[in-house]
Amino acid sequence: MLDKILDELKKDLEEAKEANSLTKANIEKIVKESTSKIVSELQFNKDMSIDLVNSVMNTTITTLKEFGEDTKENIKVSSEALFDGVKETINKQYSKQSKEIEEIYTILSQEIKSDMSKTVDNVKEIGELSFEVLKNAIDAAITSAKKTLKDKK
């Protein structure tokens, strides 16, 4: 998969060169898009990050060199786009996970609050409100929340 995306990177740079649009902005866009694809499609982790950086930069610089476009500015924009692409894609992934966790928390807390409130309201005397009663209410709320989450999927 990595090789396929690197081939696309090279092809996109070649097409930009042929269309006389190999500008810093286009180089940045092409490198960032390729990096984002790699990070999102592969199981990106810290072990592969150095290989990713080396592969993308090697492909980019080699291709730019073939075109005689390996200027300091183009290499600088390429390296910045590489790291920006990694950062943006990882942030999107974590943002999505964070939203899912927040949703689970919201459902779970609503169920627990509701069941706890009902349990406390149904107690006739404070002496009936034991740890066991509260524990049962929490267990019921968690079971209910799990069912709600399962039904949403």
Side-chain angles (χ1 to χ4, degrees):
M1 181 60 87
L2 176 62
D3 290 337
K4 180 182 174 195
I5 296 170
L6 292 174
D7 288 343
E8 288 176 24
L9 167 62
K10 184 174 181 167
K11 183 178 142 249
D12 291 345
L13 289 169
E14 288 170 349
E15 288 174 359
K17 174 67 174 172
E18 290 170 6
N20 289 325
S21 63
L22 193 61
T23 62
K24 287 190 288 187
N26 278 346
I27 293 170
E28 177 183 24
K29 180 180 176 223
I30 292 166
V31 172
K32 193 182 283 188
E33 286 174 356
S34 294
T35 303
S36 293
K37 283 181 190 175
I38 291 169
V39 172
S40 61
E41 292 180 17
L42 301 178
Q43 294 299 318
F44 184 78
N45 58 48
K46 66 181 181 181
D47 295 330
M48 75 176 286
S49 60
I50 291 182
D51 291 337
L52 166 71
V53 170
N54 289 336
S55 297
V56 173
M57 284 310 299
N58 185 43
T59 300
T60 303
I61 292 171
T62 300
T63 304
L64 291 173
K65 194 175 276 189
E66 289 173 10
F67 303 149
E69 298 285 345
D70 56 333
T71 64
K72 286 181 186 179
E73 293 82 15
N74 288 345
I75 293 171
K76 181 180 177 185
V77 79
S78 298
S79 63
E80 290 170 354
L82 170 65
F83 290 107
D84 289 345
V86 170
K87 180 182 174 188
E88 289 172 15
T89 305
I90 289 174
N91 283 343
K92 285 178 190 173
Q93 290 173 345
Y94 284 121
S95 176
K96 181 182 176 195
Q97 289 173 344
S98 179
K99 287 177 186 173
E100 290 170 354
I101 290 169
E102 183 66 30
E103 181 181 339
I104 291 168
Y105 169 78
T106 300
I107 291 170
L108 185 60
S109 66
Q110 288 171 348
E111 293 288 339
I112 290 174
K113 286 177 186 177
S114 174
D115 281 11
M116 293 297 290
S117 180
K118 287 177 191 172
T119 299
V120 171
D121 289 344
N122 289 334
V123 169
K124 293 179 180 147
E125 291 185 28
I126 196 69
E128 295 176 18
L129 194 59
S130 68
F131 172 74
E132 195 61 36
V133 170
L134 294 175
K135 181 184 176 305
N136 290 339
I138 291 171
D139 289 345
I142 290 172
T143 301
S144 178
K146 284 181 179 179
K147 182 183 181 316
T148 301
L149 291 170
K150 186 178 179 183
D151 291 344
K152 285 190 88 172
K153 289 183 178 185

